[in-house]
Amino acid sequence: MNLWILLGLAFTALAEGSSQKRGAHSCPDLCSCSFPSSLEVVCSEISLTHFPSNGLSSNTTQLSIQSTNLSSITASHLSAMPLLSNLQLFHTNLKNLPSDLLKDVPHLDLLDLTGNRLVYLPPKVFSHASLSSLVLKNNLLERADAEWFPDNSNITMLDLSGNRLKGVPAALLQKLPKLEDLDLSDNDLQDLQPDTLKNLPCLESLNLAGNKLRSLSPTIFTHNPKLSHLFLQENQLQEIPATLLRGLRELDLLLLNQNQLQHFPLGLLDERKSSFRIILTGNPWVCDEKMEYLWKWLADHPEDVTFLEDVTCAGPVALKNRQVVSLTGSDLGLIPN
């Protein structure tokens, strides 16, 4: 056979093989793709306005659409990716989600909807996948609805921070018995019902920072024995119940800074772990005889207090701005034994 013919056939075969390879690893316009054993797709162009269906591989396991002008997504869009396990749709223009959105992605593990414009979510919207991590951070949600979830959901991490929630129904959390990490920070929470956290025996981290809480029920954490990280900073707490931390033997970190606390009740910080850390700055501590418990605890556990030197008296006037640990019993008006 003529050498030129052989070369032509070889070139054609290579071209066809290359074309087939490109077809097997196609990538949507305005997106970038990686092709390991699983397929990861990232779309982050502001000019993207529609779901990038053309070119998506059925082998896609991770899809991230971020900082785009995507305004809608449907179940049919996701049905083309039956192996999808990680879906990130953040900082787009999504205003609503269909209730059947996840029905054809049975392996979905993480859904991140940070920074959208979601005001309302329909019932059963998170009932169609084995989700373990759900992020709804920085949306416009005014209520959290128990009907979003099935009974005995597999969710272990729920982030509802940065919304407009005024309350969290206990019925919602009752459906999340495996929950380990709950973030409700930066909402408008003014009160938590005593039984709100009752059915969360696995809860390890709770973030309530940046709300408007004025008080907490003495038994609010009674059923959360694994709680290790508790964030209560930047609220309006005026007092802490003496039994609030009872039974929390795993507590490692407690943030109470930027509240309205004046004193600590007797025994509040007893039986803490050696690894325990606390932040107390930004409270209007009144340094009188009622400060005795906290004053002695700070002196005995200085290594447990972050920014210890910034825990200062707001009153009385004679002690204003004095470091609490620098005080004497006489300063506090304590009668010597």
Side-chain angles (χ1 to χ4, degrees), residues 256-324:
L256 284 166
N257 46 300
Q258 271 64 51
N259 275 283
Q260 297 298 317
L261 300 172
Q262 296 184 354
H263 302 101
F264 259 14
L266 183 67
L268 178 69
L269 299 176
D270 292 357
E271 300 182 5
R272 296 298 108 208
K273 297 174 63 176
S274 60
S275 58
F276 178 71
R277 296 292 181 273
I278 190 170
I279 300 180
L280 297 167
T281 56
N283 284 286
W285 301 110
V286 175
C287 296
D288 55 18
E289 66 278 0
K290 294 181 181 179
M291 180 61 78
E292 181 179 9
Y293 173 72
L294 180 57
W295 169 64
K296 287 183 176 179
W297 191 90
L298 293 177
D300 291 339
H301 304 86
E303 70 284 355
D304 294 349
V305 187
T306 304
F307 309 121
L308 175 63
E309 66 281 1
D310 294 325
V311 181
T312 59
C313 304
V317 175
L319 298 176
K320 189 173 183 178
N321 297 325
R322 283 277 301 275
Q323 294 181 3
V324 173

Side-chain angles (χ1 to χ4, degrees), residues 23-74:
H25 295 313
S26 60
C27 189
D29 292 339
L30 304 177
C31 301
S32 61
C33 303
S34 58
F35 306 101
S37 56
S38 60
L39 181 58
E40 301 175 15
V41 180
V42 177
C43 310
S44 57
E45 296 291 334
I46 192 69
S47 56
L48 182 67
T49 58
H50 295 85
F51 190 83
S53 298
N54 293 333
L56 272 179
S57 168
S58 61
N59 292 325
T60 300
T61 58
Q62 299 185 47
L63 173 62
S64 176
I65 301 177
Q66 50 187 285
S67 302
T68 70
N69 276 307
L70 178 72
S71 58
S72 66
I73 185 171
T74 67

